[in-house]
Amino acid sequence: MNQSESDKFLRSHCPVANVLDLFGDKWTLLIVRDLILGKTRYSEFAQSHEGIPTNILADRLKRLEMAGVVVKKAYCDKPIRYEYELTGKGRDLMPMLDAMVAWADKHVPGVKVFPYFQRGNFN
Amino acid sequence: MNQSESDKFLRSHCPVANVLDLFGDKWTLLIVRDLILGKTRYSEFAQSHEGIPTNILADRLKRLEMAGVVVKKAYCDKPIRYEYELTGKGRDLMPMLDAMVAWADKHVPGVKVFPYFQRGNFN
DNA sequence: CTGGTCACTTGTTATTTGCAAGTTACCATC
DNA sequence: GATGGTAACTTGCAAATAACAAGTGACCAG
């Protein structure tokens, strides 16, 4: 999708709205979180505690790939198997996740911040 | 809602998942954005460029109020009219919005960062 | 008493989600 | 070589959610 094409579907030129167009749902950023935590495979994402439905997972991975946030590579030829990893664009989401973790840590009772996300690990 | 009650509905103890349970949709953070930009009334939120449907707006304001992110006050008795404003918990979302703005500014072509959100205005 | 504003609510249709099951392509064991 | 298992998906369908249009109630102004 080039810029003029994608422009046709922009809700607005607001940066917040544009982030929400890609990440504004209950699952997409959980996949990004898993990628940051070192997971790379479909089955690993599917096994995360929140229990993402597999059709949603496949759809979100496709969208993230199209958006250039992740890349899909074959890690095995026979049988063909894939792994996913964050691009630079994807890794640049870390400050956003960091801010989310900080907010939840302060305001949501009962959350457990896993070590990787503890404040200071992002930059 | 007390903690034991809310715990029953937690998808997980992950901070990211908890933020998404409240803000993981296409509209909620746009209302927060508008509040940060100084808007306070239902009609002002409804007039924002993205065109939020009014039933969604009413629903999201209710959820934000229940979550303690905004407070609703009468600014007029006859006829009774309300205005909304962010609580401390709501203002603490600013680093998250800031990170979203920074990401979009860097990675989404065609976004226009309004002055209030320019890097350095948050703290 | 007619028209207009504000803050919603209601009804209906369209879209998205959630869940279960099925598929394809292999490898490993009996 | 039949049975079972894993990985990475896809498909079908019911249920939940969202979008759009219209309606409501309480006022105020001319």
Side-chain angles (χ1 to χ4, degrees):
Chain A
M1 206 151 64
N2 62 34
Q3 191 184 338
S4 63
E5 264 183 303
S6 64
D7 268 2
K8 280 188 282 195
F9 304 111
L10 288 181
R11 281 197 291 183
S12 76
H13 291 282
C14 168
V16 178
N18 278 277
V19 169
L20 293 176
D21 283 339
L22 187 51
F23 300 106
D25 78 294
K26 295 218 180 308
W27 298 109
T28 306
L29 284 176
L30 292 184
I31 299 173
V32 173
R33 171 204 66 183
D34 284 350
L35 285 160
I36 288 172
L37 292 173
K39 297 182 182 178
T40 59
R41 298 185 191 171
Y42 188 94
S43 53
E44 291 179 295
F45 306 134
Q47 281 158 25
S48 279
H49 181 256
E50 292 85 7
I52 183 169
T54 59
N55 55 342
I56 303 288
L57 174 56
D59 176 78
R60 294 305 188 271
L61 285 170
K62 223 168 272 171
R63 291 182 54 180
L64 287 172
E65 203 194 344
M66 287 197 303
V69 171
V70 305
V71 282
K72 183 183 186 174
K73 306 178 177 176
Y75 70 87
C76 170
D77 269 353
K78 291 174 184 301
I80 184 85
R81 293 284 156 79
Y82 301 99
E83 63 185 2
Y84 297 86
E85 57 179 66
L86 290 171
T87 60
K89 190 172 177 179
R91 284 189 297 274
D92 281 347
L93 290 165
M94 288 170 83
M96 231 172 81
L97 279 270
D98 188 29
M100 292 170 71
V101 170
W103 188 88
D105 192 33
K106 182 169 179 184
H107 292 290
V108 184
V111 302
K112 289 176 189 148
V113 177
F114 16 82
Y116 200 88
F117 274 99
Q118 239 131 41
R119 252 173 137 35
N121 284 342
F122 284 2
N123 49 17
Chain B
M1 205 150 66
N2 62 35
Q3 191 183 339
S4 62
E5 265 183 304
S6 63
D7 267 2
K8 281 186 283 195
F9 304 110
L10 286 182
R11 279 196 293 182
S12 75
H13 292 283
C14 168
V16 178
N18 278 278
V19 169
L20 293 176
D21 283 339
L22 188 50
F23 300 106
D25 79 294
K26 295 219 180 305
W27 297 110
T28 307
L29 285 175
L30 292 183
I31 299 172
V32 174
R33 171 204 64 184
D34 284 350
L35 285 159
I36 288 172
L37 292 173
K39 297 182 182 180
T40 58
R41 297 185 192 172
Y42 188 94
S43 54
E44 291 180 295
F45 306 133
Q47 281 157 26
S48 280
H49 181 256
E50 291 85 7
I52 185 169
T54 59
N55 54 343
I56 302 289
L57 175 55
D59 175 78
R60 295 304 188 274
L61 285 170
K62 223 168 272 171
R63 291 182 54 181
L64 287 172
E65 203 194 344
M66 288 196 304
V69 170
V70 305
V71 281
K72 183 183 187 173
K73 306 177 177 175
Y75 70 88
C76 171
D77 270 353
K78 289 172 185 302
I80 183 85
R81 294 284 156 79
Y82 301 100
E83 62 185 2
Y84 296 87
E85 58 179 65
L86 290 171
T87 60
K89 190 174 177 178
R91 283 189 298 275
D92 281 347
L93 291 165
M94 288 170 84
M96 230 171 81
L97 280 269
D98 188 30
M100 292 169 71
V101 171
W103 188 88
D105 192 31
K106 182 169 179 184
H107 292 289
V108 185
V111 303
K112 289 176 189 150
V113 178
F114 16 83
Y116 199 88
F117 274 98
Q118 238 133 41
R119 249 170 137 37
N121 283 342
F122 284 3
N123 49 19

